């Protein structure tokens, strides 16, 4: 099934550090089957990890005297 292949491909891409590719595959899977929760959950978790990394990078730029 194409949805399953996209989901598994996304997991593989994510494991290799290709987060954007993984999110793209999970989005494709959801376009084919909007009810496929594993792809939605994986995509949402990957997006949250990107946002967390961005927030951490911003916080590291703040100098102690700026707090």
């Amino acid at each position: 099934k194409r949805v399953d292949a996209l989901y598994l491909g996304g997991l593989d891409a994510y494991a290799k550090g290709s987060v954007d590719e993984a999110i793209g595959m999970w989005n494709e899977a959801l376009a084919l089957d909007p009810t496929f929760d594993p792809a939605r959950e994986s995509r949402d978790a990957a997006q949250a990890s990107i946002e967390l990394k961005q927030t951490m990078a911003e916080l590291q730029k703040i100098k102690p005297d700026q707090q």
Side-chain angles (χ1 to χ4, degrees):
K1 193 173 164 183
R2 179 86 175 124
V3 171
D4 293 327
L6 286 165
Y7 172 66
L8 294 174
L11 290 177
D12 188 51
Y14 188 81
K16 293 178 180 174
S18 300
V19 179
D20 290 334
E21 180 183 350
I23 290 172
M25 293 180 131
W26 292 324
N27 281 333
E28 279 187 63
L30 289 167
L32 294 172
D33 181 357
T35 66
F36 192 66
D37 288 335
R40 179 180 325 287
E41 292 164 2
S42 296
R43 182 203 59 196
D44 292 351
Q47 288 174 331
S49 74
I50 290 171
E51 292 168 9
L52 178 60
K53 286 179 187 177
Q54 291 170 341
T55 300
M56 290 173 63
E58 289 299 315
L59 289 174
Q60 288 176 346
K61 292 178 186 177
I62 298 172
K63 296 181 182 168
D65 58 337
Q66 293 177 332
Q67 294 179 353

